[in-house]
């Protein structure tokens, strides 16, 4: 439930609709927005969503009986003639974004929108940490970054907030544009363009076209922050509507100087005279940090405070988390996987100073027609990134092995199940090893991490 600082009559005005069966006294009640029929109904405004496989409108009558003040419903909803207290809209999913847009206008806050094929959640968390040094900052919880998650983030705004960081994701065309229009950000960030969601976005040009729609809601004279090292994003230019600010390792306005890498492959560098030390590994996290620095500077956070925030930053759950097991290290990157993030993970471990590197990879999902070729390409990278062994699981993951063997790697093996993979790992893992565990979310590779963390001893 979301307790909005909004009266029901104001909700009706934002939605440009009317009410049925609701008296004037009720219209002056505050909105307690409920999207889950399992929650207590008393005093709420119920908001049913109709999906491809499920329609929550079937619970409207029950919610009314249990004390809901009203429901916002599709005008063509089945059984609407039996609803007693409701407000009709064309589509409750689209209306949710309309309400969110109207609601956020009541708050005088600085807003940052973040998207990209990889790193958007980590960048969002870094930006939140940076802005929190100066402002009371609200941010997207987890990766609630779609047409439902973005409104949920905006509905949590309080008047005490001074800044908000909103992550925006996509799985197909024209999904980011309406999110940006609802948020109306002062600053928008695109981390990179990679091979993700190709089933619907087709190719990198399609991904770029979709990601760039984040400027749709950007405020007049706003700022678009992009990765200048990205071959697509480097084409972005300032115009009469917004200014482009760039970051990058090779080029960009925000660029690291005197760059050095620790034994765990964490970066230390300077931006002008300020020293930055990261405690998260890999060049991809360096890029994420540079984006966060660029945002911080736009909102006049002192460089020393930005450096402090980034020095204290640690990886979010299942994203390149370095875990110390019993005698060996695990790099857990089980949240998601696409070719760009897999390449970054392999490069990160490949640059660590370790005894033996083992890549444990599951399927990359949602890659469309390029699935087979991309799995084989990533497999070929494993030996090139100095890995000693490759273990895979998943329907397409056997193509990793094919790619690795094409580059002369002999210690490459595929397993029929996660349990078989775990059984083998527990037998072969040795003291001083570093294991990269990575796969798409649907592969549940975190079960491999959990099993390895329970090992009481390893081979010397």
């Amino acid at each position: 439930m979301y307790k909005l600082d909004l009266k029901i009559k104001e909700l009706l005005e934002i939605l440009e609709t009317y009410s049925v069966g609701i008296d004037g006294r009720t219209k002056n009640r505050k909105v307690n927005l409920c999207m889950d029929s399992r929650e207590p109904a008393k005093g709420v405004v119920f908001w049913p969503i109709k999906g491809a496989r499920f329609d929550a409108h079937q619970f409207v009558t029950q919610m009314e009986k249990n004390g809901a003040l009203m429901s916002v419903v599709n005008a063509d909803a089945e059984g609407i003639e039996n609803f007693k207290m409701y407000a009709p809209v064309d589509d409750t999913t689209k209306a949710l974004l309309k309400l969110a847009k109207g609601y956020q206008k009541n708050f005088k806050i600085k807003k940052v929108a973040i998207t990209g094929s990889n790193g958007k959640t980590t960048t969002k968390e870094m930006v939140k940490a940076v802005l929190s040094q100066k402002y009371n900052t609200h941010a997207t919880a987890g990766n609630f970054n779609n047409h439902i998650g973005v409104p949920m983030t905006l509905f949590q705004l309080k008047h005490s907030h001074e800044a908000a960081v909103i992550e925006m994701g996509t799985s197909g065309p024209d999904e980011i544009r309406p999110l940006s229009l609802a948020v109306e950000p002062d600053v928008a960030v695109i981390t990179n363009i990679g091979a993700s969601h190709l089933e619907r976005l087709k190719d990198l040009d399609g991904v770029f076209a979709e990601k760039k729609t984040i400027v749709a809601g950007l405020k007049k004279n706003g700022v678009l922050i992009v990765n200048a090292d990205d071959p697509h994003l480097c084409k972005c230019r300032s115009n009469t509507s917004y200014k482009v600010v760039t970051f990058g390792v090779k080029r960009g306005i925000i660029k690291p100087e005197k760059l050095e890498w620790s034994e765990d492959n964490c970066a230390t560098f300077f931006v002008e005279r300020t020293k930055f030390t990261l405690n998260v590994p890999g060049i991809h996290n360096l890029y994420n940090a540079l984006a966060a620095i660029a945002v911080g500077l736009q909102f006049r956070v002192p460089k020393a405070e930005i450096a402090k925030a980034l020095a204290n930053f640690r990886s979010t759950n299942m994203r390149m988390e370095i875990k110390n097991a019993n005698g060996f290290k695990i790099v857990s990157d089980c949240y998601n996987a696409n070719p760009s993030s897999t390449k970054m993970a392999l490069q990160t471990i490949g640059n660590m100073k370790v005894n033996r590197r083992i890549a444990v990879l599951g399927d990359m999902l949602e890659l469309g027609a390029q699935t087979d070729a991309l799995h084989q390409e990533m497999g070929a990278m494993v030996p090139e990134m100095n890995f000693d062994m490759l273990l895979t699981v998943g329907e397409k993951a056997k193509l990793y092995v094919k790619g690795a063997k094409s580059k002369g790697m002999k210690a490459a093996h595929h397993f029929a199940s996660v349990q078989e993979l775990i059984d083998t790992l527990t037998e072969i893992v040795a003291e001083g090893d570093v294991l990269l565990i990575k796969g798409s979310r649907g592969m549940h590779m975190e079960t491999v991490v959990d099993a390895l963390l329970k090992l009481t001893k390893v081979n010397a």
Side-chain angles (χ1 to χ4, degrees):
M1 185 194 304
Y2 299 92
K3 295 185 177 183
L4 306 189
D5 187 11
L6 194 74
K7 293 179 180 178
I8 288 177
K9 64 181 181 182
E10 294 170 324
L11 175 146
L12 296 172
E13 289 172 8
I14 291 172
L15 296 179
E16 299 178 287
T17 188
Y18 58 92
S19 61
V20 175
I22 303 168
D23 59 30
R25 186 176 178 183
T26 300
K27 288 180 184 178
N28 279 313
R29 296 273 296 268
K30 286 286 183 74
V31 175
N32 290 329
L33 188 65
C34 172
M35 298 174 65
D36 188 343
S37 61
R38 295 167 296 183
E39 291 184 3
K42 189 171 178 59
V44 307
V45 173
F46 180 51
W47 200 291
I49 297 292
K50 182 179 180 179
R53 295 186 292 269
F54 184 78
D55 187 356
H57 284 81
Q58 63 183 286
F59 299 111
V60 170
T61 301
Q62 186 61 46
M63 293 296 279
E64 287 179 342
K65 289 178 182 177
N66 291 341
L69 297 178
M70 63 170 282
S71 300
V72 175
V73 302
N74 289 346
D76 62 354
E78 186 176 343
I80 193 171
E81 65 276 4
N82 299 318
F83 301 165
K84 293 184 172 62
M85 301 158 291
Y86 66 91
V89 294
D90 290 339
D91 184 321
T92 54
T93 300
K94 291 179 179 177
L96 194 66
L97 274 172
K98 187 172 185 176
L99 177 63
K101 178 176 183 175
Y103 187 64
Q104 60 84 10
K105 288 178 182 291
N106 296 330
F107 299 85
K108 294 180 179 180
I109 57 172
K110 305 172 190 301
K111 288 165 291 181
V112 182
I114 298 175
T115 194
S117 296
N118 298 292
K120 54 185 173 287
T121 300
T122 300
T123 300
K124 177 257 300 181
E125 293 295 335
M126 285 184 172
V127 170
K128 179 186 178 184
V130 165
L131 295 184
S132 293
Q133 296 295 112
K134 185 175 181 179
Y135 306 102
N136 180 3
T137 304
H138 174 57
T140 302
N143 74 322
F144 285 82
N145 59 21
N146 63 5
H147 58 288
I148 304 295
V150 168
M152 287 165 63
T153 300
L154 295 175
F155 293 149
Q156 293 168 359
L157 288 173
K158 295 181 172 55
H159 290 289
S160 58
H161 288 136
E162 299 167 299
V165 188
I166 298 102
E167 180 182 332
M168 297 180 182
T170 182
S171 59
D174 202 34
E175 293 184 0
I176 290 176
R177 184 186 61 83
L179 305 182
S180 177
L181 288 169
V183 171
E184 299 180 315
D186 301 276
V187 171
V189 180
I190 309 178
T191 59
N192 47 51
I193 302 300
S196 58
H197 305 295
L198 297 183
E199 279 183 328
R200 295 177 62 198
L201 295 175
K202 305 301 181 188
D203 54 25
L204 291 181
D205 288 338
V207 176
F208 174 53
E210 171 63 10
K211 298 296 184 183
K212 201 183 174 189
T213 62
I214 197 169
V215 303
L218 195 58
K219 286 186 178 176
K220 180 73 173 175
N221 301 319
V223 175
L224 173 64
I225 296 173
V226 297
N227 181 345
D229 291 344
D230 186 285
H232 283 83
L233 295 176
C234 68
K235 300 172 187 174
C236 295
R237 297 288 183 268
S238 298
N239 56 39
T240 55
S241 298
Y242 55 84
K243 173 186 174 185
V244 171
V245 171
T246 58
F247 65 91
V249 175
K250 298 172 185 174
R251 54 186 171 180
I253 296 170
I254 309 300
K255 181 181 172 184
E257 304 292 343
K258 301 177 184 176
L259 177 60
E260 296 179 353
W261 296 93
S262 71
E263 189 174 296
D264 282 340
N265 204 26
C266 297
T268 296
F269 58 95
F270 284 80
V271 174
E272 295 178 346
R273 289 178 292 178
T274 305
K275 184 178 181 180
F276 292 83
T277 300
L278 304 183
N279 283 295
V280 285
I283 195 167
H284 60 291
N285 274 319
L286 172 56
Y287 278 107
N288 297 339
L290 293 172
I293 293 168
V295 174
L297 293 177
Q298 287 302 313
F299 292 113
R300 301 189 178 183
V301 180
K303 282 198 190 76
E305 292 298 307
I306 298 175
K308 179 181 175 183
L310 293 176
N312 292 328
F313 182 83
R314 298 295 184 273
S315 293
T316 50
N317 190 32
M318 293 194 290
R319 288 180 170 88
M320 290 301 286
E321 281 185 288
I322 297 179
K323 295 176 176 286
N324 290 310
N326 196 340
F328 62 98
K329 287 183 178 181
I330 301 169
V331 179
S332 170
D333 197 14
C334 307
Y335 191 81
N336 211 344
N338 58 44
S340 300
S341 65
T342 302
K343 180 180 178 180
M344 290 174 185
L346 292 170
Q347 287 174 332
T348 298
I349 310 306
N351 287 318
M352 285 185 178
K353 296 175 182 176
V354 300
N355 291 344
R356 185 172 67 157
R357 299 174 184 83
I358 301 174
V360 183
L361 305 179
D363 286 356
M364 299 181 291
L365 305 178
E366 296 183 47
L367 295 179
Q370 299 181 48
T371 296
D372 289 6
L374 288 169
H375 278 84
Q376 195 163 328
E377 181 183 326
M378 288 302 105
M381 279 194 66
V382 175
E384 292 175 353
M385 291 296 116
N386 305 313
F387 278 80
D388 302 282
M389 187 178 295
L390 169 64
L391 307 179
T392 70
V393 64
E395 183 183 346
K396 294 296 181 181
K398 61 186 69 172
L399 293 167
Y400 288 131
V401 173
K402 184 177 179 181
K405 288 187 173 180
S406 74
K407 295 294 182 179
M409 190 176 202
K410 294 180 180 179
H413 310 283
H414 181 72
F415 294 86
S417 69
V418 170
Q419 190 55 53
E420 285 183 34
L421 169 65
I422 290 171
D423 291 343
T424 298
L425 273 172
T426 56
E427 291 294 324
I428 66 173
V429 67
E431 190 171 345
D433 285 350
V434 170
L435 287 76
L436 169 65
I437 316 291
K438 186 164 181 63
S440 280
R441 190 72 195 90
M443 296 302 298
H444 303 290
M445 299 298 284
E446 67 274 13
T447 58
V448 180
V449 176
D450 293 341
L452 290 171
L453 288 173
K454 291 174 184 174
L455 287 182
T456 55
K457 62 180 180 178
V458 296
N459 302 319

